[in-house]
Amino acid sequence: KAKEIEIASFKGNDFTFQVGEFVIGNMGDALQREHLGETLEWLFGCLGGHLKALPFSLVLFKVNVNSIWFSWLASTPRVTKLALWTDPFSGPQDIISLLSEPLVSTSTQWLFPELESIGTMIARGYAKSKILEMVKARHSFIEAQRKDAEHCVLKPFKEIVLRRG
């Protein structure tokens, strides 16, 4: 019985989707990345919609945060683990910025609110400071929401792994 789902998105349209020992992979142009969300919805329909309740582990390589695929990732699964692999000179600033504040300024909706583990490669001081700002912002929000115990939105990090690029 599967306890977690892992989606690994590599360069271009290459990805793997794993539920327990069941693995689907895509290499090349067989499936375009912009159709991945609808493909996963179809797959959940076939395997059982209950799978969406499982925790997701995402391994993302150079993800475009403005893509339809990322919008699906941001709105659908329960992401608890996130590994970001990017060009060591650019770093994961786009997604780190999105993790640093609510999705809408007047909202309490955050990107990946159940995120407990994050790992990334960093090379520049700017990326390090962005990650530190993100951690501070999320934990400040967590502390503020503890006063209203019935309405907890974010989980605290259990693990932060920074690798030098």
Side-chain angles (χ1 to χ4, degrees), residues 4-164:
E4 180 182 84
I5 295 172
E6 179 178 291
I7 297 176
S9 172
F10 307 101
K11 63 180 181 182
N13 292 318
D14 300 349
F15 71 89
T16 60
F17 172 79
Q18 182 172 351
V19 180
E21 294 182 22
F22 177 71
V23 180
I24 293 178
N26 182 67
M27 301 298 235
D29 294 331
L31 177 65
Q32 298 296 312
R33 186 183 295 247
E34 61 264 14
H35 299 292
L36 190 53
E38 63 194 58
T39 302
L40 291 174
E41 286 292 338
W42 171 81
L43 192 59
F44 287 134
C46 292
L47 296 177
H50 66 283
L51 292 177
K52 282 188 186 178
L54 292 176
F56 271 69
S57 177
L58 296 179
V59 180
L60 304 176
F61 294 78
K62 291 187 181 182
V63 67
N64 176 0
V65 296
N66 297 316
S67 68
I68 294 170
W69 148 243
F70 187 77
S71 297
W72 182 87
L73 282 178
S75 64
T76 303
R78 261 184 65 216
V79 176
T80 58
K81 295 178 187 173
L82 178 63
L84 302 168
W85 299 102
T86 60
D87 180 319
F89 297 104
S90 63
Q93 286 92 345
D94 288 350
I95 194 166
I96 295 299
S97 294
L98 288 174
L99 290 168
S100 299
E101 58 189 14
L103 295 173
V104 179
S105 62
T106 59
S107 172
T108 57
Q109 183 182 359
W110 288 68
L111 178 64
F112 307 143
E114 297 187 47
L115 188 62
E116 297 175 333
S117 174
I118 186 168
T120 189
M121 183 170 46
I122 56 173
R124 295 184 170 174
Y126 178 74
K128 293 175 195 173
S129 67
K130 282 298 205 185
I131 291 168
L132 184 58
E133 287 172 20
M134 180 267 298
V135 171
K136 285 180 181 178
R138 288 177 77 95
H139 281 275
S140 293
F141 189 85
I142 290 167
E143 287 302 314
Q145 75 178 358
R146 286 185 190 206
K147 296 173 186 170
D148 183 15
E150 291 180 26
H151 188 62
C152 290
V153 176
L154 287 179
K155 285 192 173 184
F157 287 115
K158 290 182 179 176
E159 177 182 51
I160 299 171
V161 178
L162 303 177
R163 291 180 180 85
R164 188 170 177 170

